[in-house]
Amino acid sequence: MPIPFAISARHKGFNRAEVVDQNFIEFVQLWQGDVRAAPRDSEAVLPGSALDARGFRELLESQLISRHLDLMARVLRVQNKVFYTIGSSGHEGNAMVARLARHTDPAFLHYRSGGFMAERFRKIPGMDPVMDSALSFAASKDDPASGGRHKVWGSKPLWVLPQTSTIASHLPKALGTAVAIEQARRIGHQLPIPDDSIAICSFGDASSNHATAQTSFNAAAWTAYQKLPAPVLFVCEDNGIGISVKTPSGWIANNYQHRSHLDYFFADGLDLAEGYAQVQRAVEHCRTTRRPTFLHLRTTRVMGHAGTDFEIEWRSIEELFAVEATDPLLRSAGIALESGLYAKDDLLNLYEATRKRCFAAAEDADSRHRLTSLEDVMKPLAPYTPAAVRAEATRADYADKRLAVFGGEAKLPENLPPRHMAIQIGQALHDLLAKYPEALLFGEDVAQKGGVYTVTKGLNKVFKGSRVFNTLLDETMILGLAQGYANMGMLPLPEIQYLAYFHNACDQIRGEAASLQFFSNDQYRNPMVMRVASLGYQKGFGGHFHNDNSITALRDIPGLVVGCPSRGDDAAMMLRTLMALAKVDGRVCAFLEPIALYMTKDLYEAGDGQWQFDYPAPDQAMTLGEGRVYGEAANDLVIFTFGNGVPMALRAARTIEKEQDWQVRVVDLRWLAPLNDAFIAAQARTAKRIVVLDEGRKSAGVGEGVITAIVEGGCGGTPLQRVVGANTFTPLAGAALLVLPGEADVVAAARQLAKR
């Protein structure tokens, strides 16, 4: 049914929201087509359509709700009653995806998903898409999705996981969730959703070009190529433009319809009668074949990218007229009238009643409480229940499983001689996989090879490939998989092979995993313990990518727990606490394993064996923030450090004690985020002199946080020296030691303090 472009021509002086609104009204008023006999609920809305009359009416209502929420937001934003104006206008056809999927299919949505959400709300009686959405637009504390922290499409009962930025960053975890749905069966894990669920992920045509999207499509195809199920429905909502940059005509179809192992479907999202069967085929294909499916949904964008996007300033009026003429609500109005389901007045009454409903909900939402204290804002960011975490970390009720895993009482690690860190981390991982049947360990080379440093050696044989397995070489997808497993109630232990490689995938933790508790008001969690081989000083194998000492990118992520042990027994106890934090409080955790200490056995002289320790029994754990102190009574000099710095400081302390006749205390922080400011201040309070030894870089390193805690703790007058790495990348071979701090630097700092 052609829609005349001239319909908009009389409204050049209006803002485009007013034009789009008036277009619908005038289209209905001026419509003069033939009217058919109204179909019954179960009959096709139009001849040849797969959509029945009842379905069309409900989809139309969902489309109208989405449209009027957009119009309401444009009006009330200028009154400071609404704080978000990125709209869904032109994308209302995504309501078809919601109707044809289930509310138990986890959904990761594009920000133009108003139609999808309105329709999905029908799946559970008594829920109100208008009020819930209005509360989110108004940043109300009563917002059931985020508690007023962001305008998000999200719902716990509807399995819509909140997204705050959907420029493709959500695709890896959507694929991860799809893989997790199938993985659960292989490990005997009870899913929180039906076994034949699919994961739905929507995004724009411009976002499909993003590296994070491309890595997800590649990983999906890589998975399907190996005949592994990955029931993810990628919904590309193609409106032909990204803010102001046009997508080349035909780009999406040409780029995706012939990709191997990514099954392509097209659907017209501008026409409910035409597009319904097309969407239905894609959804059913994904559910029955369990293969990654790419649904190319034709949409348009009317009213601009957001309320601040004045398209008339960069787009010709003729082009705007043409775009506005493709408005899917005009086509839906035509179907409503032609089918005889609605008379003109009835349709306009429904349109205005929906407007009234959306504005009334917005005014109600504006009267509700908003977040007014920092405590309220931060409440879901980093939940911590110390007693419960401690109880979980020290829970040792799996003795029979341990005996089976380790091969008998005599082979239990606590009954063996002291060992170095790499061995004890491996033993702790055996322990944890025995303790948590829902735990999975994965990454590059972690299975048969046992990792680059053989830390995970033997796990694959004991726990098999369903729980310990290799991934493709892609850190973004490793962390996307981790989020997917977490979404399905598992406890993932992803390995990032080197700290430098984490930076390639940082946004999966910063923008996605660590933010989910915050932006879902703690309704959704991404519990995980990310293991990372880290830091410098390894010999014979180095250079920047294998000796990365940049910890800042991790410590800057709100809510992330970062632990860094310096010895094997601490590593085992820290891992138990991290897993308990993930299990009990849903925390996202990073476990930094100092590569140079993996095989270290000696402390002072070759063969002394003083850096090997007894394995702690499974009922022993470490409290979050708890440091370790060497020489607690000493106060002439206190050295604060972590990781490689601990044995370095202990060796330097021997020299300093001889040279200066001082007693030296060494404080191992162990926990790098959050730093335990009170502990640091307490240790500093009794110090006559302080050295802060930070193997990271001078700028934005851990040492800056330590010094801040010392000063703010009232010890700013204590003589202090900082020993820290240079602000440079780490070079190869022996030159690396020129940029990293060493024992001689610690001794030199003490000499400087002695002169004061």
Side-chain angles (χ1 to χ4, degrees):
M1 180 194 308
I3 301 170
F5 288 179
I7 215 167
S8 297
R10 295 189 296 277
H11 305 297
K12 293 183 182 180
F14 289 71
N15 70 54
R16 305 321 297 174
E18 290 175 332
V19 169
V20 169
D21 187 20
Q22 191 63 28
N23 279 352
F24 184 90
I25 295 169
E26 293 187 8
F27 177 87
V28 174
Q29 290 173 337
L30 299 174
W31 191 83
Q32 296 179 349
D34 296 330
V35 178
R36 303 173 185 272
R40 291 191 294 271
D41 277 1
S42 60
E43 294 177 333
V45 65
L46 289 179
S49 174
L51 179 61
D52 62 29
R54 177 185 174 184
F56 172 78
R57 280 198 304 269
E58 292 182 349
L59 284 169
L60 173 61
E61 290 170 4
S62 295
Q63 288 187 312
L64 293 177
I65 287 170
S66 178
R67 177 60 53 87
H68 278 298
L69 286 172
D70 284 359
L71 293 170
M72 171 275 294
R74 298 297 178 98
V75 172
L76 297 186
R77 174 65 195 95
V78 297
Q79 301 176 31
N80 275 334
K81 294 181 177 182
V82 160
F83 302 94
Y84 193 87
T85 57
I86 295 180
S88 304
S89 296
H91 286 245
E92 291 89 352
N94 56 34
M96 293 186 287
V97 180
R99 186 172 190 85
L100 288 160
R102 304 170 184 163
H103 79 277
T104 48
D105 292 329
F108 306 83
L109 299 180
H110 189 41
Y111 42 62
R112 304 194 193 282
S113 295
F116 182 103
M117 287 299 296
E119 184 62 27
R120 193 161 218 186
F121 267 83
R122 296 183 190 281
K123 305 284 186 176
I124 299 180
M127 296 190 71
D128 183 357
V130 174
M131 193 65 230
D132 279 15
S133 299
L135 290 166
S136 189
F137 275 104
S140 169
K141 192 175 180 180
D142 296 336
D143 166 26
S146 77
R149 288 166 186 82
H150 205 286
K151 163 63 187 73
V152 293
W153 296 120
S155 170
K156 179 66 173 178
L158 295 175
W159 272 97
V160 179
L161 288 79
Q163 301 301 125
T164 59
S165 176
T166 49
I167 307 175
S169 61
H170 58 312
L171 272 69
K173 66 181 182 182
L175 173 58
T177 301
V179 172
I181 290 170
E182 296 297 317
Q183 187 88 351
R185 184 182 301 113
R186 293 194 287 273
I187 70 169
H189 175 71
Q190 182 64 48
L191 284 170
I193 54 177
D195 290 351
D196 65 343
S197 298
I198 64 174
I200 299 169
C201 181
S202 59
F203 51 94
D205 49 292
S207 293
S208 74
N209 301 303
H210 197 281
T212 313
Q214 291 299 314
T215 199
S216 304
F217 302 144
N218 177 73
W222 184 86
T223 304
Y225 178 76
Q226 299 176 89
K227 295 182 170 50
L228 296 172
V232 58
L233 181 67
F234 292 118
V235 184
C236 180
E237 299 187 14
D238 182 5
N239 63 22
I241 198 165
I243 303 183
S244 67
V245 179
K246 294 180 181 177
T247 297
S249 179
W251 170 248
I252 298 299
N254 278 279
N255 196 11
Y256 293 100
Q257 64 182 337
H258 301 302
R259 288 202 182 191
S260 296
H261 304 288
L262 186 61
D263 302 341
Y264 174 91
F265 290 79
F266 172 82
D268 188 351
L270 302 179
D271 188 326
L272 298 180
E274 179 70 20
Y276 192 78
Q278 298 164 335
V279 173
Q280 187 174 41
R281 281 194 293 272
V283 173
E284 290 179 354
H285 173 84
C286 185
R287 195 177 305 282
T288 56
T289 66
R290 317 305 285 166
R291 285 174 56 84
T293 304
F294 188 99
L295 173 59
H296 179 191
L297 187 68
R298 181 189 175 203
T299 62
T300 191
R301 191 188 78 193
V302 295
M303 293 167 47
H305 175 71
T308 54
D309 178 21
F310 301 105
E311 289 182 293
I312 195 67
E313 295 179 354
W314 56 271
R315 215 170 184 179
S316 72
I317 192 67
E318 290 77 18
E319 186 179 354
L320 285 172
F321 290 167
V323 169
E324 289 161 1
T326 64
D327 184 346
L329 262 64
L330 302 185
R331 174 59 181 145
S332 292
I335 295 170
L337 296 170
E338 179 186 354
S339 66
L341 285 173
Y342 290 88
K344 290 183 180 182
D345 287 347
D346 292 336
L347 185 55
L348 289 174
N349 287 339
L350 175 62
Y351 187 76
E352 293 303 329
T354 308
R355 185 200 306 274
K356 184 177 180 180
R357 180 183 173 191
C358 290
F359 270 87
E363 294 291 348
D364 184 354
D366 179 56
S367 69
R368 307 283 188 97
H369 295 294
R370 294 194 173 98
L371 296 170
T372 56
S373 72
L374 180 60
E375 182 182 4
D376 275 353
V377 170
M378 294 183 65
K379 186 177 180 181
L381 174 64
Y384 179 40
T385 51
V389 168
R390 179 75 183 176
E392 179 61 30
T394 57
R395 177 173 63 84
D397 56 356
Y398 57 106
D400 290 344
K401 291 182 180 178
R402 293 190 79 229
L403 290 173
V405 164
F406 289 109
E409 185 78 29
K411 293 183 180 180
L412 291 176
E414 61 267 32
N415 295 330
L416 298 178
R419 304 302 295 269
H420 52 280
M421 182 186 285
I423 293 292
Q424 293 201 332
I425 291 177
Q427 291 169 331
L429 292 172
H430 278 81
D431 244 341
L432 291 169
L433 287 173
K435 182 176 183 177
Y436 298 107
E438 71 273 30
L440 305 169
L441 187 145
F442 51 93
E444 302 161 22
D445 302 303
V446 301
Q448 293 83 355
K449 180 177 173 60
V452 173
Y453 300 97
T454 68
V455 174
T456 58
K457 184 178 180 180
L459 286 166
N460 177 254
K461 289 183 179 179
V462 175
F463 296 101
K464 311 306 178 187
S466 58
R467 294 189 61 199
V468 179
F469 51 92
N470 294 327
T471 65
L472 73 174
L473 197 156
D474 184 343
E475 288 74 25
T476 297
M477 273 315 309
I478 290 171
L479 296 177
L481 283 170
Q483 293 174 80
Y485 292 131
N487 290 335
M488 293 296 100
M490 301 176 216
L491 274 177
L493 276 156
E495 178 182 293
I496 301 299
Q497 203 164 76
Y498 290 100
L499 180 57
Y501 300 171
F502 167 75
H503 305 308
N504 302 332
C506 179
D507 190 52
Q508 285 303 301
I509 299 296
R510 176 185 301 279
E512 295 295 338
S515 71
L516 183 60
Q517 274 181 283
F518 182 75
F519 287 117
S520 71
N521 202 16
D522 200 22
Q523 296 176 87
Y524 282 106
R525 296 176 164 189
N526 272 147
M528 71 174 72
V529 178
M530 176 180 65
R531 296 178 45 249
V532 190
S534 306
L535 307 175
Y537 301 101
Q538 68 169 314
K539 298 175 181 178
F541 182 36
H544 164 60
F545 282 104
H546 306 109
N547 276 294
D548 188 353
N549 62 338
S550 175
I551 304 169
T552 306
L554 286 161
R555 292 189 64 247
D556 183 53
I557 299 174
L560 181 67
V561 176
V562 182
C564 182
S566 64
R567 42 190 272 182
D569 55 345
D570 281 0
M573 291 189 292
M574 183 178 282
L575 271 170
R576 291 169 188 161
T577 298
L578 291 170
M579 287 293 278
L581 283 163
K583 176 76 174 179
V584 174
D585 291 326
R587 300 295 291 274
V588 182
C589 306
F591 182 64
L592 305 186
E593 303 173 5
I595 299 168
L597 296 180
Y598 273 151
M599 307 301 175
T600 298
K601 301 175 183 178
D602 307 321
L603 178 58
Y604 297 112
E605 289 88 28
D608 69 16
Q610 291 194 46
W611 213 242
Q612 297 185 108
F613 300 93
D614 291 327
Y615 184 82
D619 61 353
Q620 297 179 44
M622 183 193 305
T623 302
L624 176 63
E626 179 186 16
R628 181 183 285 276
V629 181
Y630 299 84
E632 195 159 357
N635 61 8
D636 292 314
L637 174 66
V638 175
I639 304 174
F640 290 93
T641 189
F642 62 92
N644 293 293
V646 177
M648 183 189 303
L650 289 170
R651 287 190 292 269
R654 275 196 168 186
T655 302
I656 294 167
E657 287 174 341
K658 290 177 182 177
E659 281 192 5
Q660 307 297 337
D661 194 25
W662 291 347
Q663 290 184 323
V664 180
R665 187 191 323 161
V666 175
V667 177
D668 182 356
L669 300 169
R670 301 198 290 196
W671 300 94
L672 307 185
L675 280 175
N676 188 339
D677 292 351
F679 168 71
I680 293 168
Q683 292 296 320
R685 209 162 282 130
T686 56
K688 295 178 181 178
R689 304 165 192 85
I690 295 171
V691 167
V692 176
L693 171 56
D694 177 3
E695 62 184 288
R697 298 172 192 164
K698 183 177 182 180
S699 296
V702 175
E704 291 186 354
V706 174
I707 293 171
T708 300
I710 291 170
V711 173
E712 291 182 347
C715 304
T718 305
L720 182 148
Q721 287 282 121
R722 180 160 60 132
V723 179
V724 68
N727 281 338
T728 181
F729 299 104
T730 306
L732 193 61
L737 299 179
L738 299 174
V739 306
L740 296 170
E743 291 172 40
D745 300 307
V746 181
V747 174
R751 290 171 183 156
Q752 289 296 316
L753 288 170
K755 295 176 182 178
R756 295 189 186 181

